[in-house]
Amino acid sequence: MVSRKLCLAQDPEADKLLSDDDFALLTGMLLDQQFPMEHAFRGPQKLADRMGGFDIRRIADTDPAEFEELASTPPAIHRYGRSMGRRVQELAHFIVENYDGKTSGLWTLGDPDGKEILKRLKALPGFGDQKARIFLALLGKQGGLTAGGWREAAGAYGEDGSRRSVADVTDAETLTQVREFKKQAKAAAKKA
């Protein structure tokens, strides 16, 4: 576990969980789609509150129907609470089966370089190329990751000083800057 102090959920308790628990951070990244970023990163805290703590093995071992209910109970962890609950459980199973429940193994096991970490992240259920690159950039920019070549593997998300993704959010101001970047990128894509 890397020591970090994140401000992604814009909520002190939720951000502390993200800072302290690698699987909580990975879960927040999984939930960050079709949902406001800071709400997605509050999802792990909602689960922790309902489960009496956040534990990857308990998440993996919980009855699927019961876990879907926990994920979709208002306020749900995501706009699509049940389906995202299933994805969180799939992710927990994957980490337990492939990394013995140690999420950090994704970026530490065998001293991988940035390309290998990206490959491992892309193999996760619910993680495509873009989500994997953003998470790699988040690890490098805010998680203390020192693996060689991580910036190159993260692509534009790894650029120093950029404001294009959750990897660049360190406070309310940078969250606003990232939102503005995304808004401009969306407008430019519509014109193209």
Side-chain angles (χ1 to χ4, degrees):
M1 181 103 51
V2 175
S3 176
R4 57 187 173 239
K5 184 161 176 35
L6 300 171
C7 189
L8 306 175
Q10 309 290 304
D11 172 85
E13 190 177 15
D15 281 324
K16 182 172 182 353
L17 178 60
L18 297 171
S19 298
D20 294 345
D21 188 297
D22 294 326
F23 187 67
L25 184 60
L26 193 66
T27 298
M29 189 73 227
L30 175 72
L31 296 174
D32 186 19
Q33 62 187 47
Q34 300 177 316
F35 199 51
M37 183 206 80
E38 67 275 23
H39 294 289
F41 282 92
R42 289 177 193 154
Q45 185 62 52
K46 290 176 186 173
L47 291 171
D49 291 344
R50 294 167 191 171
M51 297 183 81
F54 195 83
D55 180 273
I56 188 171
R57 291 185 189 280
R58 277 191 59 215
I59 290 168
D61 293 342
T62 299
D63 174 76
E66 184 183 327
F67 193 77
E68 278 184 35
E69 194 62 35
L70 286 170
S72 62
T73 298
I77 64 168
H78 192 275
R79 138 182 354 169
Y80 305 111
R82 288 189 181 281
S83 65
M84 292 309 272
R86 284 192 297 273
R87 285 188 170 187
V88 168
Q89 229 176 1
E90 287 172 25
L91 187 60
H93 287 142
F94 187 92
I95 298 296
V96 167
E97 290 166 14
N98 294 280
Y99 294 94
D100 195 29
K102 294 175 183 70
T103 306
S104 63
L106 284 161
W107 55 89
T108 60
L109 196 65
D111 195 27
D113 64 6
K115 280 172 65 173
E116 177 61 25
I117 297 169
L118 180 63
K119 182 178 161 190
R120 292 175 183 182
L121 291 169
K122 287 165 73 169
L124 295 173
F127 276 66
D129 182 68
Q130 186 176 10
K131 189 176 289 283
R133 288 178 192 275
I134 292 169
F135 193 76
L136 178 57
L138 177 58
L139 291 172
K141 290 179 173 184
Q142 298 190 54
L145 180 72
T146 58
W150 75 262
R151 280 191 192 276
E152 295 77 9
Y157 299 107
E159 291 173 4
D160 199 22
S162 68
R163 293 286 183 262
R164 64 176 64 237
S165 75
V166 66
D168 305 309
V169 175
T170 56
D171 54 26
E173 182 182 341
T174 52
L175 173 61
T176 301
Q177 292 169 352
V178 167
R179 281 221 167 95
E180 186 56 35
F181 174 86
K182 288 181 175 190
K183 187 175 158 186
Q184 289 174 3
K186 200 178 244 184
K190 281 185 179 179
K191 287 181 183 177

